[in-house]
Amino acid sequence: MAQISVIGKNGGRSIDLDLPEVNPHVLHEVVTWQLAGRRRGTASTKTRAQVSKTGKKMYSQKGTGNARHGDRSVPTFVGGGVAFGPKPRSYSYTLPRKVRQLGLAMALADRQRDGKLLAVDGFGLDGKTKGFVAWAAQNGLDGSERVLVVTDDEATRRAARNVAWATVLPVAGLNVYDILRHERLVIDAVALEPAQEEVISEGVAQ
């Protein structure tokens, strides 16, 4: 059972969170699934029916001394169609919901284990970037590490969105890939409450 201290205007308490042991294989599975869903899959080649070539037979079937050929659109010739080339497709696939939830819990556990998880209840910011930078400095965030700020507080999101070393997401958008590609995680304390676990787990699909 992990104890996470809560800071902020309404802080001064701790949250008991049952976090699993970190399994790199599970994290890899979830990140691969996420990135596969983000692939555009727009690669496309033309088949022999789609290239701009005449369909006329190149020369007589017999008597020329050359190999037998039909039209010039076949893959054999330069400028012809492509055999078995890529076509627009979706790379997404289904990953069991329990695996997605486990992956998110492990990502949170990884940041908590390293002391890189900061739970906040009440940022008390006015939406100004200067205010967020000052708040971050007071809480050990000096810009030397990339920070993921996950909050539904509109003023805080507006204040942090122009900071180069910070990425801002709503609580519903919390996902494994973004957690792992940032060194620190700053998150609304309410999102870590046991009653909110179901809400967080849906964010893995982002």
Side-chain angles (χ1 to χ4, degrees), residues 48-201:
R48 61 180 296 181
Q50 295 171 317
V51 295
S52 180
K53 294 287 183 180
T54 178
K56 180 182 178 182
K57 188 172 176 63
M58 295 174 59
Y59 44 72
S60 299
Q61 178 81 347
K62 295 178 179 293
T64 65
N66 296 309
R68 297 169 291 184
H69 286 298
D71 58 80
R72 287 188 176 272
S73 64
V74 296
T76 309
F77 297 109
V78 174
V82 176
F84 310 113
K87 284 293 183 182
R89 53 164 290 195
S90 171
Y91 286 90
S92 63
Y93 58 92
T94 302
L95 192 69
R97 185 181 183 186
K98 287 187 177 181
V99 177
R100 305 199 310 262
Q101 292 175 337
L102 182 61
L104 182 56
M106 286 182 177
L108 292 173
D110 185 65
R111 289 295 169 264
Q112 191 275 333
R113 180 188 63 185
D114 296 338
K116 305 290 187 178
L117 175 60
L118 200 61
V120 184
D121 189 356
F123 286 87
L125 300 178
D126 58 359
K128 301 293 185 180
T129 302
K130 183 178 180 180
F132 175 78
V133 172
W135 179 91
Q138 291 173 3
N139 291 280
L141 308 176
D142 57 4
S144 61
E145 297 177 307
R146 291 173 298 176
V147 179
L148 178 63
V149 181
V150 181
T151 179
D152 286 334
D153 181 9
E154 183 59 35
T156 301
R157 285 160 55 181
R158 188 166 64 249
R161 67 187 179 186
N162 286 330
V163 178
W165 42 266
T167 302
V168 183
L169 288 177
V171 171
L174 182 64
N175 64 88
V176 176
Y177 176 66
D178 282 320
I179 292 175
L180 296 181
R181 73 188 187 95
H182 293 81
E183 285 80 16
R184 283 185 175 269
L185 172 63
V186 178
I187 187 170
D188 279 349
V190 67
L192 298 178
E193 298 288 351
Q196 295 295 318
E197 289 180 359
E198 199 71 15
V199 176
I200 293 178
S201 63

Side-chain angles (χ1 to χ4, degrees), residues 8-26:
K9 291 175 62 178
N10 305 315
R13 67 182 193 278
S14 63
I15 299 174
D16 293 329
L17 206 57
D18 188 12
L19 296 175
E21 289 292 325
V22 178
N23 185 331
H25 175 71
V26 174

Side-chain angles (χ1 to χ4, degrees), residues 32-54:
T32 301
W33 166 76
Q34 273 190 253
L35 296 183
R38 295 184 184 186
R39 292 185 65 176
R40 295 181 63 189
T42 55
S44 182
T45 55
K46 291 183 178 181
T47 65
R48 61 180 296 181
Q50 295 171 317
V51 295
S52 180
K53 294 287 183 180
T54 178

